[in-house]
Amino acid sequence: MWFYVFIPVAVAALGAIYTSVWPPSDKMVNAFQHFAAGVVFYAAAGELLPDATQRPWIWPIIIGGILGIVVMLLLRHFTEKAKQGPTGLMAASAFDAVIDGIVLGLGFSAGQHQGLLLAIALAIEFLFLGLSIAGAFSRKTSRWMIIGGTVSVSLGVPLGSLLALPIGTWPLSYKMAAFAFGLVALLYLVAEELLAEAHEKPETSWGTAMFFVGFLALTVLDQALRS
């Protein structure tokens, strides 16, 4: 597990390095945001949704889902104003990284396959995170400072996964609530962050199509890993 939880950290660093050397165009960032949203959406629908719903009780799903909604709205409330400038963006992204780490830990508590698919999805998301954080800094900022700041933020993923470790020992009903929480967190990431930010940039047909490319790419990878 611990090898996989550090993949998003490494990929975020690569994104920061790439952006500091070759800043991508707005259209490229828009397309990548759509691709990442498609990948994360499949991770939510294909991996966490079955574990949350194919069980004998409904109340854990309701409780976990409501808790997820409340936490995501509180997170939005406290980080919306903080996203002004690179420091604020890093602070908001650090909170997101911890939540993503908890979701990744939930995936591994469900099984190695689910954890691996979620690790891949979050790695793609964190490549975009590296692009975003590096792009928020001034051109005069040291490249090593940008990379170091990006890595520091993305270390929230292993921290969140560590916090999720006890969930594997919980009773089934509690696990169901946790999976419902993770499902809401991933869907929030897709709808309110990746796609919302993508629509703030110039739209192109091929950029929008990348959402479905990302969704299908992870679908194919999921089936390949199962065979």
Side-chain angles (χ1 to χ4, degrees):
M1 168 183 167
W2 293 110
F3 170 79
Y4 295 112
V5 301
F6 280 97
I7 291 177
V9 180
V11 173
L14 291 176
I17 293 170
Y18 176 84
T19 304
S20 62
V21 178
W22 301 288
S25 66
D26 285 344
K27 289 183 178 180
M28 182 180 294
V29 172
N30 174 275
F32 189 80
Q33 284 173 311
H34 278 92
F35 182 83
V39 168
V40 174
F41 184 77
Y42 179 82
E47 301 305 320
L48 285 184
L49 182 59
D51 285 292
T53 58
Q54 293 179 3
R55 306 292 180 179
W57 307 298
I58 190 65
W59 285 110
I61 300 172
I62 295 174
I63 294 171
I66 292 174
L67 180 61
I69 293 169
V70 171
V71 171
M72 292 303 104
L73 291 178
L74 286 174
L75 182 64
R76 177 178 181 177
H77 174 74
F78 287 114
T79 62
E80 203 166 42
K81 295 182 179 180
K83 288 187 177 181
Q84 304 299 321
T87 303
L89 176 62
M90 288 174 63
S93 299
F95 282 110
D96 287 344
V98 173
I99 297 295
D100 288 342
I102 291 173
V103 173
L104 183 55
L106 286 172
F108 277 105
S109 71
Q112 185 75 11
H113 179 84
Q114 291 90 331
L116 176 58
L117 264 292
L118 283 168
I120 294 171
L122 291 180
I124 295 172
E125 177 209 339
F126 272 73
L127 178 58
F128 165 70
L129 177 70
L131 299 177
S132 298
I133 293 178
F137 279 93
S138 166
R139 294 284 182 87
K140 296 180 181 180
T141 306
S142 165
R143 184 178 303 170
W144 293 109
M145 183 178 294
I146 294 173
I147 296 169
T150 304
V151 170
S152 298
V153 167
S154 57
L155 284 174
V157 174
L159 174 60
S161 297
L162 183 64
L163 294 175
L165 270 182
I167 295 173
T169 63
W170 288 1
L172 179 58
S173 59
Y174 286 76
K175 285 185 180 180
M176 289 175 61
F179 290 140
F181 172 88
L183 176 64
V184 169
L186 283 186
L187 291 178
Y188 174 88
L189 171 64
V190 172
E192 295 296 326
E193 294 193 1
L194 291 170
L195 289 180
E197 292 180 19
H199 293 157
E200 294 175 359
K201 297 179 174 61
E203 292 280 349
T204 61
S205 297
W206 70 271
T208 302
M210 292 302 290
F211 174 87
F212 303 98
V213 172
F215 184 90
L216 291 173
L218 204 64
T219 303
V220 172
L221 178 60
D222 185 10
Q223 294 305 311
L225 290 174
R226 292 179 188 274
S227 61

